[in-house]
Amino acid sequence: KGAPTIVSMSSDWMHTLPLVEAPKRPTTSGRLLIFVGTPGKYLSMCIRSNRGRFDDAYKENRLVMLCRGVCMLPLGSQEQNVFGVDSEAVLDAIARSVRNRGAVFWGHGPGTKANLMQKAFGYPSPEPLPAPLAFDGDAGGSSHSFDYLVQYVAYLNKVKLAKPSMPVLNFYDTGLLVSVMQGAIAESGVSM
Protein backbone atom coordinates (compact mmCIF):
# COMPACT_ATOMS: atom_id res chain seq x y z
CA LYS A 1 0.00 0.00 0.00
CA GLY A 2 1.03 3.61 0.11
CA ALA A 3 0.77 3.79 -3.68
CA PRO A 4 -0.79 7.01 -4.95
CA THR A 5 -3.03 5.10 -7.39
CA ILE A 6 -5.36 2.14 -6.87
CA VAL A 7 -6.60 0.20 -9.92
CA SER A 8 -9.57 -2.11 -9.55
CA MET A 9 -12.43 -3.60 -11.52
CA SER A 10 -15.92 -2.33 -10.72
CA SER A 11 -18.52 -4.63 -9.24
CA ASP A 12 -20.57 -4.40 -12.44
CA TRP A 13 -17.60 -5.74 -14.45
CA MET A 14 -16.94 -8.47 -11.87
CA HIS A 15 -20.43 -9.86 -12.52
CA THR A 16 -19.36 -10.70 -16.07
CA LEU A 17 -16.71 -13.12 -14.74
CA PRO A 18 -17.53 -16.59 -13.36
CA LEU A 19 -16.93 -16.10 -9.62
CA VAL A 20 -18.27 -18.13 -6.70
CA GLU A 21 -17.25 -15.63 -4.03
CA ALA A 22 -16.93 -11.86 -4.01
CA PRO A 23 -13.43 -10.46 -4.46
CA LYS A 24 -12.00 -7.85 -2.11
CA ARG A 25 -12.86 -4.26 -3.09
CA PRO A 26 -10.65 -1.31 -2.20
CA THR A 27 -11.89 1.74 -0.35
CA THR A 28 -12.13 4.80 -2.56
CA SER A 29 -13.17 7.49 -0.10
CA GLY A 30 -11.32 10.77 -0.51
CA ARG A 31 -9.70 9.75 -3.82
CA LEU A 32 -10.37 10.87 -7.37
CA LEU A 33 -12.59 8.14 -8.82
CA ILE A 34 -12.21 7.54 -12.55
CA PHE A 35 -14.78 5.10 -13.92
CA VAL A 36 -14.13 3.75 -17.42
CA GLY A 37 -17.19 2.24 -19.07
CA THR A 38 -20.92 2.79 -19.13
CA PRO A 39 -22.41 2.92 -15.64
CA GLY A 40 -25.80 1.24 -15.55
CA LYS A 41 -28.02 2.72 -12.84
CA TYR A 42 -30.54 -0.13 -13.06
CA LEU A 43 -27.99 -2.94 -12.84
CA SER A 44 -26.09 -0.99 -10.20
CA MET A 45 -29.28 -0.79 -8.15
CA CYS A 46 -30.08 -4.49 -8.58
CA ILE A 47 -26.65 -5.72 -7.51
CA ARG A 48 -26.20 -3.05 -4.83
CA SER A 49 -23.07 -1.98 -6.64
CA ASN A 50 -21.04 1.21 -6.65
CA ARG A 51 -23.98 3.59 -6.16
CA GLY A 52 -22.74 4.80 -2.78
CA ARG A 53 -19.21 5.18 -4.10
CA PHE A 54 -20.39 7.05 -7.19
CA ASP A 55 -22.81 9.21 -5.21
CA ASP A 56 -20.17 10.13 -2.62
CA ALA A 57 -17.54 10.91 -5.26
CA TYR A 58 -20.08 12.96 -7.23
CA LYS A 59 -21.12 14.99 -4.16
CA GLU A 60 -17.46 15.57 -3.27
CA ASN A 61 -16.64 16.71 -6.83
CA ARG A 62 -14.13 13.91 -7.45
CA LEU A 63 -15.92 11.65 -9.96
CA VAL A 64 -14.81 11.32 -13.59
CA MET A 65 -16.64 8.98 -15.97
CA LEU A 66 -15.25 8.08 -19.36
CA CYS A 67 -17.60 6.37 -21.83
CA ARG A 68 -17.25 5.92 -25.57
CA GLY A 69 -17.15 9.46 -26.95
CA VAL A 70 -18.23 11.20 -23.73
CA CYS A 71 -16.41 12.30 -20.60
CA MET A 72 -18.21 13.58 -17.50
CA LEU A 73 -15.94 15.44 -15.14
CA PRO A 74 -16.14 17.98 -12.35
CA LEU A 75 -14.92 21.46 -13.24
CA GLY A 76 -15.01 23.77 -10.26
CA SER A 77 -18.48 23.77 -8.79
CA GLN A 78 -20.20 22.28 -11.82
CA GLU A 79 -20.36 19.06 -13.80
CA GLN A 80 -19.43 19.11 -17.45
CA ASN A 81 -20.23 16.51 -20.08
CA VAL A 82 -17.73 16.70 -22.90
CA PHE A 83 -19.09 15.05 -26.05
CA GLY A 84 -17.02 13.88 -29.01
CA VAL A 85 -13.91 13.04 -27.02
CA ASP A 86 -11.44 10.48 -28.30
CA SER A 87 -11.93 7.96 -25.48
CA GLU A 88 -8.78 6.01 -26.33
CA ALA A 89 -6.64 9.18 -26.29
CA VAL A 90 -8.13 10.23 -22.94
CA LEU A 91 -7.56 6.74 -21.51
CA ASP A 92 -3.95 6.78 -22.78
CA ALA A 93 -3.43 10.18 -21.10
CA ILE A 94 -4.87 8.83 -17.84
CA ALA A 95 -2.57 5.77 -18.03
CA ARG A 96 0.50 7.97 -18.67
CA SER A 97 -0.44 10.21 -15.76
CA VAL A 98 -0.90 7.20 -13.46
CA ARG A 99 2.50 5.79 -14.45
CA ASN A 100 4.14 9.18 -13.84
CA ARG A 101 2.69 9.33 -10.31
CA GLY A 102 4.61 6.23 -9.23
CA ALA A 103 3.60 2.84 -7.91
CA VAL A 104 0.15 1.44 -8.71
CA PHE A 105 -1.70 -0.73 -6.19
CA TRP A 106 -3.97 -3.55 -7.44
CA GLY A 107 -7.07 -3.00 -5.35
CA HIS A 108 -8.37 -6.57 -5.11
CA GLY A 109 -5.51 -7.84 -2.95
CA PRO A 110 -2.12 -9.43 -3.48
CA GLY A 111 -2.00 -12.43 -5.79
CA THR A 112 -5.48 -11.91 -7.31
CA LYS A 113 -4.67 -10.03 -10.51
CA ALA A 114 -3.58 -13.01 -12.64
CA ASN A 115 -6.60 -15.04 -11.59
CA LEU A 116 -9.07 -12.25 -12.41
CA MET A 117 -7.37 -11.41 -15.70
CA GLN A 118 -7.43 -15.09 -16.73
CA LYS A 119 -11.18 -15.16 -16.12
CA ALA A 120 -11.56 -12.03 -18.24
CA PHE A 121 -9.20 -12.91 -21.10
CA GLY A 122 -8.80 -16.70 -21.24
CA TYR A 123 -7.75 -19.70 -19.22
CA PRO A 124 -4.42 -21.52 -19.40
CA SER A 125 -6.12 -24.68 -18.13
CA PRO A 126 -9.66 -25.44 -17.03
CA GLU A 127 -10.61 -26.23 -13.45
CA PRO A 128 -12.03 -29.66 -12.57
CA LEU A 129 -15.69 -30.32 -13.31
CA PRO A 130 -17.92 -29.77 -10.27
CA ALA A 131 -19.92 -32.62 -8.79
CA PRO A 132 -23.49 -32.80 -10.11
CA LEU A 133 -25.77 -30.27 -8.45
CA ALA A 134 -28.09 -31.72 -5.83
CA PHE A 135 -30.42 -29.77 -3.55
CA ASP A 136 -31.01 -31.02 -0.02
CA GLY A 137 -34.01 -30.36 2.17
CA ASP A 138 -37.16 -28.38 1.68
CA ALA A 139 -36.92 -24.86 0.28
CA GLY A 140 -40.24 -23.96 1.91
CA GLY A 141 -38.65 -23.39 5.34
CA SER A 142 -35.75 -21.29 4.11
CA SER A 143 -35.63 -17.71 5.33
CA HIS A 144 -33.65 -16.91 2.19
CA SER A 145 -36.05 -17.80 -0.60
CA PHE A 146 -33.39 -17.52 -3.31
CA ASP A 147 -30.79 -19.83 -1.71
CA TYR A 148 -31.33 -22.58 -4.29
CA LEU A 149 -31.11 -20.08 -7.14
CA VAL A 150 -27.82 -18.74 -5.74
CA GLN A 151 -26.47 -22.32 -5.51
CA TYR A 152 -27.55 -22.94 -9.11
CA VAL A 153 -25.79 -19.79 -10.40
CA ALA A 154 -22.64 -20.67 -8.39
CA TYR A 155 -22.77 -24.17 -9.93
CA LEU A 156 -23.03 -22.70 -13.45
CA ASN A 157 -20.01 -20.49 -12.70
CA LYS A 158 -18.03 -23.59 -11.70
CA VAL A 159 -19.10 -25.24 -14.99
CA LYS A 160 -17.89 -22.12 -16.87
CA LEU A 161 -14.51 -22.42 -15.11
CA ALA A 162 -14.28 -26.13 -15.96
CA LYS A 163 -15.42 -25.77 -19.58
CA PRO A 164 -14.27 -22.28 -20.68
CA SER A 165 -14.86 -23.00 -24.39
CA MET A 166 -18.46 -24.13 -23.85
CA PRO A 167 -21.11 -21.38 -23.79
CA VAL A 168 -22.81 -21.42 -20.38
CA LEU A 169 -25.16 -18.49 -19.98
CA ASN A 170 -27.56 -17.01 -17.43
CA PHE A 171 -30.29 -14.81 -18.89
CA TYR A 172 -31.94 -12.04 -16.88
CA ASP A 173 -34.91 -9.92 -17.82
CA THR A 174 -36.04 -6.78 -16.03
CA GLY A 175 -38.78 -6.46 -13.46
CA LEU A 176 -39.23 -6.44 -9.71
CA LEU A 177 -38.80 -10.17 -9.13
CA VAL A 178 -35.72 -10.33 -11.34
CA SER A 179 -34.28 -7.27 -9.56
CA VAL A 180 -34.74 -8.93 -6.18
CA MET A 181 -33.26 -12.16 -7.55
CA GLN A 182 -30.18 -10.34 -8.93
CA GLY A 183 -29.75 -8.59 -5.58
CA ALA A 184 -29.87 -11.93 -3.72
CA ILE A 185 -27.24 -13.45 -6.04
CA ALA A 186 -24.94 -10.42 -5.77
CA GLU A 187 -25.32 -10.23 -1.99
CA SER A 188 -24.13 -13.84 -1.70
CA GLY A 189 -20.87 -12.95 -3.48
CA VAL A 190 -21.60 -15.12 -6.53
CA SER A 191 -21.27 -13.36 -9.87
CA MET A 192 -24.07 -13.37 -12.39
Side-chain angles (χ1 to χ4, degrees), residues 18 123 155-164 168-170 192:
Y123 303 84
Y155 176 79
L156 287 182
N157 285 346
K158 290 176 184 176
V159 171
K160 290 177 195 178
L161 293 169
K163 295 283 191 181
V168 179
L169 306 170
N170 294 324
M192 290 186 266

Side-chain angles (χ1 to χ4, degrees), residues 9 19 31 42 63 74 117 124 131 133 167 172 188:
M9 299 166 75
L19 301 171
R31 293 177 171 265
Y42 181 77
L63 175 64
M117 292 295 107
L133 184 61
Y172 299 97
S188 76

Side-chain angles (χ1 to χ4, degrees), residues 49-89:
S49 181
N50 294 329
R51 289 180 66 210
R53 291 174 185 225
F54 286 160
D55 292 344
D56 291 345
Y58 179 80
K59 288 175 193 167
E60 296 167 9
N61 210 21
R62 56 181 181 81
L63 175 64
V64 174
M65 294 194 153
L66 179 63
C67 303
R68 184 169 301 278
V70 180
C71 185
M72 181 196 89
L73 63 158
L75 293 174
S77 62
Q78 57 186 325
E79 162 195 323
Q80 293 294 318
N81 291 315
V82 182
F83 295 94
V85 299
D86 182 344
S87 304
E88 289 183 29

Side-chain angles (χ1 to χ4, degrees), residues 5-189:
T5 305
I6 297 174
V7 174
S8 68
M9 299 166 75
S10 73
S11 181
D12 300 12
W13 174 248
M14 294 296 225
H15 279 282
T16 67
L17 305 177
L19 301 171
V20 292
E21 62 183 45
K24 177 183 169 186
R25 293 178 57 204
T27 58
T28 56
S29 57
R31 293 177 171 265
L32 177 66
L33 177 59
I34 301 173
F35 182 86
V36 178
T38 306
K41 278 282 198 184
Y42 181 77
L43 179 60
S44 182
M45 176 196 68
C46 292
I47 65 174
R48 298 173 182 95
S49 181
N50 294 329
R51 289 180 66 210
R53 291 174 185 225
F54 286 160
D55 292 344
D56 291 345
Y58 179 80
K59 288 175 193 167
E60 296 167 9
N61 210 21
R62 56 181 181 81
L63 175 64
V64 174
M65 294 194 153
L66 179 63
C67 303
R68 184 169 301 278
V70 180
C71 185
M72 181 196 89
L73 63 158
L75 293 174
S77 62
Q78 57 186 325
E79 162 195 323
Q80 293 294 318
N81 291 315
V82 182
F83 295 94
V85 299
D86 182 344
S87 304
E88 289 183 29
V90 173
L91 194 54
D92 285 343
I94 291 170
R96 274 193 309 277
S97 177
V98 164
R99 282 191 293 273
N100 290 339
R101 291 192 73 199
V104 176
F105 177 72
W106 176 250
H108 299 293
T112 61
K113 185 177 179 184
N115 189 309
L116 287 171
M117 292 295 107
Q118 285 172 351
K119 285 177 174 59
F121 298 108
Y123 303 84
S125 59
E127 294 185 10
L129 273 170
L133 184 61
F135 295 112
D136 295 324
D138 176 18
S142 174
S143 62
H144 299 77
S145 55
F146 291 112
D147 284 351
Y148 285 157
L149 176 68
V150 169
Q151 290 175 33
Y152 173 73
V153 172
Y155 176 79
L156 287 182
N157 285 346
K158 290 176 184 176
V159 171
K160 290 177 195 178
L161 293 169
K163 295 283 191 181
S165 61
M166 182 174 79
V168 179
L169 306 170
N170 294 324
F171 290 96
Y172 299 97
D173 196 355
T174 57
L176 180 59
L177 181 59
V178 173
S179 301
V180 172
M181 177 188 72
Q182 288 175 325
I185 293 168
E187 193 171 297
S188 76

